[in-house]
PDB file of all heavy atoms in Angstrom:
ATOM      1  N   ARG H 211       9.624 -10.132   4.159  1.00  0.00           N
ATOM      2  CA  ARG H 211      10.093 -11.160   3.262  1.00  0.00           C
ATOM      3  C   ARG H 211      10.110 -12.518   3.926  1.00  0.00           C
ATOM      4  O   ARG H 211       9.989 -13.587   3.256  1.00  0.00           O
ATOM      5  CB  ARG H 211      11.382 -10.796   2.592  1.00  0.00           C
ATOM      6  CG  ARG H 211      12.536 -10.511   3.498  1.00  0.00           C
ATOM      7  CD  ARG H 211      13.702  -9.909   2.777  1.00  0.00           C
ATOM      8  NE  ARG H 211      13.587  -8.439   2.792  1.00  0.00           N
ATOM      9  CZ  ARG H 211      14.547  -7.617   2.266  1.00  0.00           C
ATOM     10  NH1 ARG H 211      15.598  -8.118   1.707  1.00  0.00           N
ATOM     11  NH2 ARG H 211      14.393  -6.320   2.276  1.00  0.00           N
ATOM     12  N   GLN H 238      -4.619   2.786   6.057  1.00  0.00           N
ATOM     13  CA  GLN H 238      -5.534   3.874   6.526  1.00  0.00           C
ATOM     14  C   GLN H 238      -6.941   3.652   6.036  1.00  0.00           C
ATOM     15  O   GLN H 238      -7.912   4.237   6.534  1.00  0.00           O
ATOM     16  CB  GLN H 238      -5.014   5.285   6.061  1.00  0.00           C
ATOM     17  CG  GLN H 238      -5.405   5.707   4.675  1.00  0.00           C
ATOM     18  CD  GLN H 238      -5.360   7.248   4.643  1.00  0.00           C
ATOM     19  OE1 GLN H 238      -4.510   7.877   5.158  1.00  0.00           O
ATOM     20  NE2 GLN H 238      -6.249   7.760   3.849  1.00  0.00           N
ATOM     21  N   ASP H 252       8.266  -4.724  -2.413  1.00  0.00           N
ATOM     22  CA  ASP H 252       7.013  -4.304  -3.064  1.00  0.00           C
ATOM     23  C   ASP H 252       6.581  -5.421  -4.037  1.00  0.00           C
ATOM     24  O   ASP H 252       7.257  -6.454  -4.110  1.00  0.00           O
ATOM     25  CB  ASP H 252       7.252  -2.943  -3.786  1.00  0.00           C
ATOM     26  CG  ASP H 252       8.377  -2.915  -4.866  1.00  0.00           C
ATOM     27  OD1 ASP H 252       8.636  -4.012  -5.378  1.00  0.00           O
ATOM     28  OD2 ASP H 252       8.963  -1.870  -5.038  1.00  0.00           O
ATOM     29  N   GLY H 293      -2.039   6.676 -12.376  1.00  0.00           N
ATOM     30  CA  GLY H 293      -1.145   7.689 -12.851  1.00  0.00           C
ATOM     31  C   GLY H 293       0.277   7.206 -12.688  1.00  0.00           C
ATOM     32  O   GLY H 293       0.580   6.364 -11.851  1.00  0.00           O
ATOM     33  N   ARG H 298       2.090   3.407 -17.419  1.00  0.00           N
ATOM     34  CA  ARG H 298       1.452   2.113 -16.987  1.00  0.00           C
ATOM     35  C   ARG H 298       1.878   0.923 -17.863  1.00  0.00           C
ATOM     36  O   ARG H 298       2.179  -0.175 -17.354  1.00  0.00           O
ATOM     37  CB  ARG H 298       0.047   2.264 -16.883  1.00  0.00           C
ATOM     38  CG  ARG H 298      -0.434   3.125 -15.720  1.00  0.00           C
ATOM     39  CD  ARG H 298      -0.114   2.497 -14.424  1.00  0.00           C
ATOM     40  NE  ARG H 298       0.031   3.425 -13.335  1.00  0.00           N
ATOM     41  CZ  ARG H 298       0.138   3.090 -12.017  1.00  0.00           C
ATOM     42  NH1 ARG H 298       0.322   1.772 -11.687  1.00  0.00           N
ATOM     43  NH2 ARG H 298       0.200   4.024 -11.084  1.00  0.00           N
ATOM     44  N   ARG H 301       5.288  -0.087 -16.708  1.00  0.00           N
ATOM     45  CA  ARG H 301       5.215  -0.751 -15.292  1.00  0.00           C
ATOM     46  C   ARG H 301       4.860  -2.253 -15.509  1.00  0.00           C
ATOM     47  O   ARG H 301       5.468  -3.066 -14.840  1.00  0.00           O
ATOM     48  CB  ARG H 301       4.327  -0.104 -14.313  1.00  0.00           C
ATOM     49  CG  ARG H 301       4.418  -0.659 -12.915  1.00  0.00           C
ATOM     50  CD  ARG H 301       4.186   0.419 -11.859  1.00  0.00           C
ATOM     51  NE  ARG H 301       4.735  -0.088 -10.587  1.00  0.00           N
ATOM     52  CZ  ARG H 301       3.961  -0.775  -9.694  1.00  0.00           C
ATOM     53  NH1 ARG H 301       2.720  -1.068 -10.008  1.00  0.00           N
ATOM     54  NH2 ARG H 301       4.469  -1.142  -8.568  1.00  0.00           N
ATOM     55  N   LYS H 304       7.965  -3.840 -16.527  1.00  0.00           N
ATOM     56  CA  LYS H 304       8.762  -4.096 -15.390  1.00  0.00           C
ATOM     57  C   LYS H 304       8.368  -5.376 -14.635  1.00  0.00           C
ATOM     58  O   LYS H 304       9.241  -6.178 -14.269  1.00  0.00           O
ATOM     59  CB  LYS H 304       8.640  -2.924 -14.427  1.00  0.00           C
ATOM     60  CG  LYS H 304       9.857  -2.636 -13.497  1.00  0.00           C
ATOM     61  CD  LYS H 304       9.685  -1.414 -12.783  1.00  0.00           C
ATOM     62  CE  LYS H 304      10.975  -0.950 -12.070  1.00  0.00           C
ATOM     63  NZ  LYS H 304      10.777   0.259 -11.188  1.00  0.00           N
TER      64      LYS H 304
ATOM     65  N   LYS A 299       3.920   3.962   0.795  1.00  0.00           N
ATOM     66  CA  LYS A 299       4.311   2.530   0.975  1.00  0.00           C
ATOM     67  C   LYS A 299       5.817   2.360   0.800  1.00  0.00           C
ATOM     68  O   LYS A 299       6.210   1.196   0.701  1.00  0.00           O
ATOM     69  CB  LYS A 299       3.517   1.682  -0.038  1.00  0.00           C
ATOM     70  CG  LYS A 299       2.043   1.809   0.091  1.00  0.00           C
ATOM     71  CD  LYS A 299       1.218   1.164  -1.022  1.00  0.00           C
ATOM     72  CE  LYS A 299      -0.283   1.411  -0.905  1.00  0.00           C
ATOM     73  NZ  LYS A 299      -1.000   0.888  -2.158  1.00  0.00           N
ATOM     74  N   ASN A 303       9.636   0.352  -6.557  1.00  0.00           N
ATOM     75  CA  ASN A 303       9.161   0.156  -7.921  1.00  0.00           C
ATOM     76  C   ASN A 303       7.774   0.671  -8.090  1.00  0.00           C
ATOM     77  O   ASN A 303       6.874   0.012  -8.680  1.00  0.00           O
ATOM     78  CB  ASN A 303       9.203  -1.309  -8.250  1.00  0.00           C
ATOM     79  CG  ASN A 303      10.556  -1.921  -8.363  1.00  0.00           C
ATOM     80  OD1 ASN A 303      11.298  -1.621  -9.267  1.00  0.00           O
ATOM     81  ND2 ASN A 303      10.982  -2.687  -7.398  1.00  0.00           N
ATOM     82  N   CYS A 306       2.264   2.659  -7.298  1.00  0.00           N
ATOM     83  CA  CYS A 306       1.286   1.629  -7.194  1.00  0.00           C
ATOM     84  C   CYS A 306      -0.065   2.091  -7.917  1.00  0.00           C
ATOM     85  O   CYS A 306      -0.103   3.141  -8.437  1.00  0.00           O
ATOM     86  CB  CYS A 306       0.987   1.258  -5.708  1.00  0.00           C
ATOM     87  SG  CYS A 306       0.074   2.601  -4.886  1.00  0.00           S
ATOM     88  N   SER A 309      -2.121   5.727  -7.351  1.00  0.00           N
ATOM     89  CA  SER A 309      -1.615   7.055  -7.793  1.00  0.00           C
ATOM     90  C   SER A 309      -2.666   7.605  -8.855  1.00  0.00           C
ATOM     91  O   SER A 309      -2.935   6.956  -9.821  1.00  0.00           O
ATOM     92  CB  SER A 309      -0.268   6.980  -8.425  1.00  0.00           C
ATOM     93  OG  SER A 309       0.084   8.210  -9.070  1.00  0.00           O
ATOM     94  N   VAL A 316      -3.573   8.057  -0.261  1.00  0.00           N
ATOM     95  CA  VAL A 316      -3.747   8.298   1.153  1.00  0.00           C
ATOM     96  C   VAL A 316      -4.351   9.653   1.405  1.00  0.00           C
ATOM     97  O   VAL A 316      -5.170   9.777   2.334  1.00  0.00           O
ATOM     98  CB  VAL A 316      -2.368   8.130   1.801  1.00  0.00           C
ATOM     99  CG1 VAL A 316      -2.356   8.726   3.209  1.00  0.00           C
ATOM    100  CG2 VAL A 316      -1.910   6.752   1.823  1.00  0.00           C
ATOM    101  N   LEU A 340      13.399   3.863 -14.983  1.00  0.00           N
ATOM    102  CA  LEU A 340      12.231   3.191 -14.383  1.00  0.00           C
ATOM    103  C   LEU A 340      11.904   1.883 -15.070  1.00  0.00           C
ATOM    104  O   LEU A 340      10.884   1.243 -14.698  1.00  0.00           O
ATOM    105  CB  LEU A 340      10.970   4.153 -14.600  1.00  0.00           C
ATOM    106  CG  LEU A 340      10.870   5.368 -13.689  1.00  0.00           C
ATOM    107  CD1 LEU A 340       9.498   5.975 -13.830  1.00  0.00           C
ATOM    108  CD2 LEU A 340      11.149   4.975 -12.271  1.00  0.00           C
ATOM    109  N   LYS A 347      15.324  -3.526  -0.795  1.00  0.00           N
ATOM    110  CA  LYS A 347      16.181  -2.673  -0.105  1.00  0.00           C
ATOM    111  C   LYS A 347      16.875  -3.417   1.105  1.00  0.00           C
ATOM    112  O   LYS A 347      16.226  -4.310   1.716  1.00  0.00           O
ATOM    113  CB  LYS A 347      15.458  -1.486   0.446  1.00  0.00           C
ATOM    114  CG  LYS A 347      16.308  -0.369   1.005  1.00  0.00           C
ATOM    115  CD  LYS A 347      15.526   0.892   1.307  1.00  0.00           C
ATOM    116  CE  LYS A 347      16.265   1.851   2.135  1.00  0.00           C
ATOM    117  NZ  LYS A 347      17.457   2.410   1.458  1.00  0.00           N
TER     118      LYS A 347
END
Side-chain angles (χ1 to χ4, degrees):
Chain H
R211 58 191 90 177
Q238 87 156 34
D252 62 29
R298 291 293 160 177
R301 187 145 196 270
K304 206 175 192 182
Chain A
K299 300 172 185 173
N303 292 287
C306 71
S309 171
V316 167
L340 285 192
K347 188 171 168 63

